[in-house]
Amino acid sequence: MRRLNRKKTLNLMKELDAFPKVPESYVETSVSGGTVSLIAFTTIAFLTVMEFTVYRDTWMKYEYEVDKDFTSKLRINIDITVAMRCQYVGADVLDLAETMVASADGLIYEPVVFDLSPQQKEWQRMLQLIQSRLQEEHSLQDVIFKSAFKSASTALPPRAIPHPRGHAHLAALVSHESYNFSHRIDHLSFGELIPGIINPLDGTEKIASDHNQMFQYFITIVPTKLHTYKISAETHQFSVTERERVINHAAGSHGVSGIFMKYDISSLMVTVTEEHMPFWQFLVRLCGIIGGIFSTTGILHGFGRFVAEVIFCRFRLGSYGSTSVSLPDGHTSNHLPRTTDNSTH
């Protein structure tokens, strides 16, 4: 009884088989079918490799929200070289009301030569080239985010100084003839230091054409949370607008000579997250590629064979000439005579 039930179950499962097997004796192969199969397998292999490349790649997802943090202080990291003697250079932090918030006593002055060595010039040239490409191709910023990492060996030299939120500028009360505000910004960033991140003003160099010249940088800071597979940090991106002019009171150009960095913090916060294609999505896309190519090539091959058979069939029919048959009454017929088997009579 159990064997009978088992046999019925197997027969039922065979009837539900959606993939019936065709005996090999009923399968006809052809050169055209083999050619189409070879093209299909080659296309599948190529698209599979491309899809695997896409699966291994990652992309950056940007999310925006209102910044609700009103208590934390902003850290400023600055490394700037000014073409003046150290004793003539000073710095302080002012708020919007031009009231001093804090002095820059923590600023470390290092006597250096303003002109760069050949190796340093090459570094600056490459950095400026990257900056110009970043302005043209914004997608390169994603590559920079992915390459960011924490490492003590690539950290900023100890010339970086922390400042609370405010308006920072460099100036000195010295004789105007001693002014030379030609400067080079080797690094300027806000928030946590992240080696590998290139900021908009890194590598900027300005040469003053006059002793009384003002350089202004208007900066808009955007709080940013960065989450990649290599790093997770809270930092700040910023955009900058530059302006420079010569101070000449007689010509109506008023102001104070110096280097001014005026910044404002955006009310929006950006969360940048590195994402990766799930494995199940990769499998679904791969199955779609394989099934789609097999179905498409099968349809195209079948349609091609149908067209070829129709054309060759008409060609064969047109190659036969008409045959005339004489009738006993003297008439002719273009139809072929009917042949009979005399053995059946």
Side-chain angles (χ1 to χ4, degrees):
M1 192 67 180
R2 291 182 178 178
R3 291 183 177 179
L4 182 61
N5 292 335
R6 183 179 180 182
K7 187 176 182 181
K8 290 182 178 180
T9 302
L10 293 177
N11 292 333
L12 179 61
M13 295 301 295
K14 290 181 179 180
E15 293 179 0
L16 296 177
D17 186 8
F19 308 96
K21 306 299 184 296
V22 180
E24 294 184 0
S25 59
Y26 294 99
V27 177
E28 181 182 358
T29 59
S30 62
V31 176
S32 61
T35 304
V36 173
S37 299
L38 181 61
I39 296 175
F41 290 140
T42 304
T43 306
I44 289 175
F46 175 74
L47 293 181
T48 299
V49 173
M50 296 298 294
E51 190 65 25
F52 183 72
T53 303
V54 174
Y55 169 72
R56 292 187 58 187
D57 194 15
T58 59
W59 61 88
M60 308 306 294
K61 179 181 179 181
Y62 294 81
E63 297 178 328
Y64 303 89
E65 59 181 313
V66 177
D67 186 13
K68 301 179 181 179
D69 187 4
F70 302 101
T71 58
S72 61
K73 294 183 179 181
L74 179 64
R75 174 189 175 97
I76 303 177
N77 311 295
I78 182 171
D79 184 359
I80 182 172
T81 303
V82 184
M84 294 178 64
R85 294 184 177 181
C86 295
Q87 59 267 29
Y88 294 161
V89 178
D92 52 23
V93 181
L94 306 179
D95 59 12
L96 296 178
E98 299 296 331
T99 303
M100 181 176 293
V101 178
S103 63
D105 296 334
L107 179 63
I108 300 177
Y109 298 89
E110 295 182 356
V112 294
V113 178
F114 185 77
D115 295 333
L116 298 177
S117 63
Q119 184 178 4
Q120 292 172 333
K121 288 182 179 180
E122 181 65 19
W123 171 84
Q124 185 187 30
R125 189 187 67 82
M126 292 299 299
L127 188 58
Q128 292 176 348
L129 178 61
I130 295 175
Q131 294 285 17
S132 62
R133 293 293 300 274
L134 284 174
Q135 295 177 3
E136 298 174 359
E137 303 179 21
H138 300 284
S139 59
L140 292 179
Q141 185 63 48
D142 294 348
V143 179
I144 293 178
F145 279 145
K146 294 178 185 179
S147 62
F149 61 95
K150 290 183 177 179
S151 175
S153 59
T154 58
L156 190 70
R159 289 182 290 177
I161 56 172
H163 279 305
R165 179 178 177 180
H167 167 74
H169 74 90
L170 302 177
L173 299 176
V174 295
S175 175
H176 289 185
E177 288 74 16
S178 302
Y179 285 175
N180 184 3
F181 288 106
S182 299
H183 62 280
R184 181 175 55 254
I185 302 177
D186 298 320
H187 179 83
L188 177 64
S189 64
F190 301 87
E192 182 179 355
L193 282 173
I194 303 178
I197 296 295
I198 299 178
N199 298 279
L201 287 177
D202 292 355
T204 300
E205 182 176 283
K206 299 293 183 180
I207 303 299
S209 58
D210 192 272
H211 293 291
N212 296 326
Q213 192 159 349
M214 173 190 290
F215 296 92
Q216 292 177 304
Y217 299 93
F218 300 93
I219 301 173
T220 301
I221 303 172
V222 181
T224 304
K225 292 183 179 180
L226 182 61
H227 302 286
T228 68
Y229 292 105
K230 294 182 178 180
I231 188 176
S232 180
E234 295 186 3
T235 182
H236 295 75
Q237 302 180 85
F238 66 90
S239 60
V240 60
T241 302
E242 304 175 14
R243 181 185 178 187
E244 58 181 86
R245 61 187 176 92
V246 177
I247 302 301
N248 189 345
H249 300 286
S253 178
H254 304 289
V256 179
S257 305
I259 304 170
F260 298 86
M261 298 179 183
K262 301 181 179 181
Y263 59 90
D264 188 19
I265 301 178
S266 174
S267 59
L268 292 179
M269 181 176 62
V270 181
T271 301
V272 184
T273 307
E274 185 178 7
E275 293 191 345
H276 185 272
M277 180 187 297
F279 183 71
W280 64 267
Q281 187 175 355
F282 167 72
L283 292 180
V284 171
R285 290 166 63 100
L286 190 61
C287 293
I289 290 174
I290 297 175
I293 291 178
F294 269 120
S295 300
T296 303
T297 53
I299 293 174
L300 293 177
H301 180 246
F303 180 75
R305 290 189 61 181
F306 172 76
V307 173
E309 289 177 357
V310 170
I311 295 175
F312 287 122
C313 182
R314 289 184 178 180
F315 177 76
R316 287 195 299 267
L317 291 176
S319 64
Y320 293 109
S322 59
T323 304
S324 299
V325 180
S326 299
L327 299 177
D329 56 358
H331 294 82
T332 59
S333 174
N334 293 328
H335 299 285
L336 295 175
R338 183 181 63 176
T339 58
T340 58
D341 190 358
N342 295 328
S343 62
T344 58
H345 297 285

